[in-house]
Amino acid sequence: KAGVTQTPRYLIKTRGQQVTLSCSPISGHRSVSWYQQTPGQGLQFLFEYFSETQRNKGNFPGRFSGRQFSNSRSEMNVSTLELGDSALYLCASSLPRTSGGGLPSTDTQYFGPGTRLTVL
Amino acid sequence: QKEVEQNSGPLSVPEGAIASLNCTYSDRGSQSFFWYRQYSGKSPELIMFIYSNGDKEDGRFTAQLNKASQYVSLLIRDSQPSDSATYLCAVTDKLIFGTGTRLQVFP
């Protein structure tokens, strides 16, 4: 089974530009989460999509947005890029995250290779 | 206080020793915890998860969870140089990761 794929793998942009990153989850996975990873802050949650709906959102400004398509592929967009947006952006897919019923979520997240974004 | 805290390390252990990686979390309601390993320049990969108090063993790895003390740990027995990586603790019902502990296993 093919893993999570992300495109592009590397991207260089300048301040003020916008960027769109793409993620294709593992076949059959319907939940896609996005993370930003930087040396100082570690892995920070951006948002999670399930069945084309945003289910959770992290603490990032509105310049960061995302969407999910009917085939579970997801895109994230960053507008008006800032130098501090330079990071590794990781996408992770999982089977539908269980919630409710008093059961803890044990859905494994499988990460893609990431997109390395550099803002100059 | 960060929601998930880990010592950034590096934690240096000799080959064959036991490496002990610790993680504390602030939300007492957290229920499920994962350990991921991330090699330099690569994406995180799952090692194991735990959500019941006590120990859970998988090969050379043992995860320990103590909800009363709000900590989760990972023990790596017979450490190998190939175990050298950054280990990320995650509270997965909230999708929060710690910043990771860098482990170095020297021959």
Side-chain angles (χ1 to χ4, degrees):
Chain A
K1 196 182 256 190
V4 179
T5 59
Q6 291 186 246
T7 57
R9 293 293 310 280
Y10 303 91
L11 207 49
I12 299 176
K13 292 286 188 178
T14 56
R15 279 180 299 174
Q17 287 187 308
Q18 75 166 18
V19 66
T20 299
L21 311 181
S22 180
C23 170
S24 292
I26 293 171
S27 177
H29 285 193
R30 295 167 60 194
S31 176
V32 173
S33 301
W34 288 91
Y35 296 85
Q36 180 195 67
Q37 188 172 37
T38 58
Q41 298 296 318
L43 204 59
Q44 292 187 287
F45 170 69
L46 281 156
F47 24 66
E48 178 194 17
Y49 286 88
F50 173 67
S51 291
E52 302 178 65
T53 301
Q54 187 178 88
R55 219 157 59 148
N56 285 296
K57 188 177 189 303
N59 190 26
F60 277 81
R63 299 185 297 107
F64 293 81
S65 63
R67 59 178 175 168
Q68 187 180 33
F69 301 96
S70 58
N71 61 358
S72 295
R73 190 176 71 84
S74 177
E75 289 182 345
M76 68 162 281
N77 183 278
V78 188
S79 62
T80 320
L81 283 166
E82 300 177 0
L83 296 178
D85 296 333
S86 295
L88 178 67
Y89 289 87
L90 290 162
C91 160
S93 80
S94 64
L95 291 169
R97 293 186 69 245
T98 56
S99 61
L103 296 176
S105 168
T106 58
D107 296 330
T108 301
Q109 295 208 337
Y110 296 88
F111 285 86
T115 294
R116 173 73 62 183
L117 172 65
T118 302
V119 182
L120 303 176
Chain B
Q1 181 191 8
K2 289 185 180 179
E3 295 195 58
V4 179
E5 294 209 51
Q6 296 181 259
N7 188 318
S8 61
L11 172 66
S12 293
V13 301
E15 184 175 357
I18 296 175
S20 178
L21 304 159
N22 300 312
C23 171
T24 59
Y25 58 96
S26 60
D27 187 344
R28 192 170 286 278
S30 300
Q31 296 188 66
S32 55
F33 308 87
F34 279 56
W35 281 100
Y36 283 84
R37 175 176 61 196
Q38 186 173 26
Y39 291 110
S40 180
K42 301 292 186 182
S43 56
E45 55 182 347
L46 176 72
I47 297 176
M48 62 194 303
F49 69 86
I50 187 168
Y51 57 87
S52 297
N53 271 326
D55 296 359
K56 180 180 179 182
E57 187 174 316
D58 184 359
R60 294 187 298 114
F61 299 96
T62 298
Q64 299 175 318
L65 175 60
N66 184 322
K67 290 186 179 181
S69 300
Q70 294 176 239
Y71 84 77
V72 57
S73 63
L74 179 71
L75 301 178
I76 306 175
R77 290 182 298 282
D78 189 24
S79 295
Q80 301 296 311
S82 58
D83 295 326
S84 298
T86 296
Y87 290 79
L88 302 170
C89 167
V91 176
T92 53
D93 44 353
K94 299 183 185 303
L95 296 176
I96 297 174
F97 282 73
T99 52
T101 298
R102 189 157 62 95
L103 172 66
Q104 293 178 335
V105 181
F106 55 91

